[in-house]
Amino acid sequence: MSAAELKARIVRHIRRQGPISVAAFMAMALHDPRAGYYARHDPLGRTGDFITAPEISQIFGELVGLWVADLWQRLGRPDPVVLAELGPGRGTLMADLLRAAATVPGFRRALRLYLIEASPLLRAEQQHRLAAADPRFVDSIEALPPAPLLLLANEFLDALPIRQLVRGHLEWGERLVGLDAEDRLAFVEGPESPALTLLVPAALRALPPGSIVEICPAAAALAAALGERFARSPGAALVIDYGYFPSRPGPTLSALRHHQPVGVLDNPGDADLSAHVDFAALAEATRAAGAAIWGPVPQGRFLAALGAETRLGALSARAGPEQQALLESGVRRLIDPAEMGTLFKAMAATSPGLPAPAGFSEAMDPEGG
């Protein structure tokens, strides 16, 4: 099925059933098993629609690998330990992680690798790249075995379906996807409701009419599940994504095609859809379920604390001039505040009672100011 056929199917559904939530539209556009974006596209890299930190520099995955191995040691070197990644892309992060973490005695032997991936195309590439680690594929964190857990989510939460709530005259309503007078997909506003008002973070409910707030029920549910697991079983999770802290209003949903912005509703199934992560809401849901939260801190500060400059120097010392320039530009893109260093943030969740993970400290200012 083509993207045009998917769009026609969405239009027919709305014509019969009425407007749908932004979350429902995102789920259909991204995850339809025949025509959804992830069913038909390899989105990563310069030939795809976007590029992620592991594809920019091997140093990213190597530092995360040492972070994970250090957490394993702090947990008492459990054997076995479940190492899981949400949305592993091409497996680049995990490949770099495993190579770096192999320097920690015993860690490679103890880990059991689990990958949570929806795309059949990417699953095939992950299986090929990570075959030596014997990866197992599951559909959710609930399917992970009951053992100490180390979990990674790099640029995963931004692709989860969101809902957009709009401040009305008395209460909040929901921004929906409907049809305009010419039967084209268009944003429309649903009725106001006290129940929708309760979904808005309390600090934002008194915003002026027309204000938009995004919420992500799927991220909140994931955070709660992780918090509950860490409250009863040893473990830690590292989340790295672009987003904001504290919660704030404003629409952030966007679409990318070949690294260029396109209309969100233009071609469902042919463009990547994503929205900024509300780290405050994520932290609140995880903490309420029983886990300890560290951060968020700006990605640039996090990577610098893990030794990005030192690793850059070590690699550059063995590289030629052209490779040195590529290494330098990659690390700068990851840590420079004008690039990914501030917009992208890192946050950790751990079982209660563990010391601060590497790169995090209670004294750190979450906004990096």
Side-chain angles (χ1 to χ4, degrees), residues 61-66 69 94-104 311:
E62 291 170 347
L63 294 178
V64 171
L66 295 176
M94 188 56 66
D96 292 338
L97 180 159
L98 293 173
R99 185 179 63 254
T103 61
V104 177
R311 180 59 177 155

Side-chain angles (χ1 to χ4, degrees), residues 83-334:
L83 174 61
E85 185 177 359
L86 292 164
R90 290 176 171 168
T92 306
L93 169 58
M94 188 56 66
D96 292 338
L97 180 159
L98 293 173
R99 185 179 63 254
T103 61
V104 177
F107 179 66
R108 179 65 186 82
R109 183 184 65 250
L111 72 86
R112 305 294 184 269
L113 179 60
Y114 285 81
L115 304 176
I116 302 168
E117 175 60 64
S119 166
L121 294 176
L122 292 177
R123 276 195 180 197
E125 188 153 359
Q126 294 155 15
Q127 175 64 52
H128 175 74
R129 179 166 291 185
L130 302 171
D134 189 23
R136 295 141 168 105
F137 292 92
V138 294
D139 294 326
S140 67
I141 63 169
E142 287 78 15
L144 296 173
L149 171 66
L150 296 169
L151 181 135
L152 303 172
N154 177 62
E155 290 196 57
F156 173 80
L157 297 178
D158 62 87
L160 294 180
I162 60 155
R163 296 173 68 180
Q164 291 185 328
L165 304 178
V166 183
R167 180 71 158 93
H169 295 292
L170 297 177
E171 302 286 352
W172 287 73
E174 184 159 9
R175 196 184 196 198
L176 305 171
V177 178
L179 302 175
D180 64 13
E182 299 178 13
D183 246 12
R184 295 174 303 197
L185 294 174
F187 288 114
V188 298
E189 290 188 15
E192 299 174 24
S193 163
L196 292 174
T197 299
L198 293 176
L199 297 179
V200 179
L204 303 179
R205 289 177 190 166
L207 289 169
S211 300
I212 294 176
V213 167
E214 293 174 338
I215 62 171
C216 186
L222 174 64
L226 282 175
E228 290 170 3
R229 178 165 179 144
F230 293 152
R232 67 175 188 268
S233 176
L238 176 65
V239 174
I240 302 177
D241 222 313
Y242 52 92
Y244 46 87
F245 183 92
S247 297
R248 70 183 189 209
T252 69
L253 178 63
S254 63
L256 279 181
R257 178 70 170 141
H258 297 314
H259 300 270
Q260 298 297 319
V262 295
V264 168
L265 304 180
D266 289 351
N267 293 293
D270 260 355
D272 176 57
L273 302 176
S274 66
H276 290 209
V277 175
D278 183 347
F279 278 93
L282 192 68
E284 181 180 353
T286 313
R287 189 185 294 112
I293 291 294
W294 307 89
V297 298
Q299 175 179 281
R301 180 188 292 182
F302 176 69
L303 295 177
L306 296 186
E309 295 287 356
T310 300
R311 180 59 177 155
L312 173 62
L315 288 175
S316 296
R318 304 193 298 269
E322 185 176 344
Q323 185 63 21
Q324 285 178 359
L326 288 173
L327 288 166
E328 172 76 18
S329 65
V331 170
R332 291 289 158 252
R333 184 170 176 182
L334 294 178

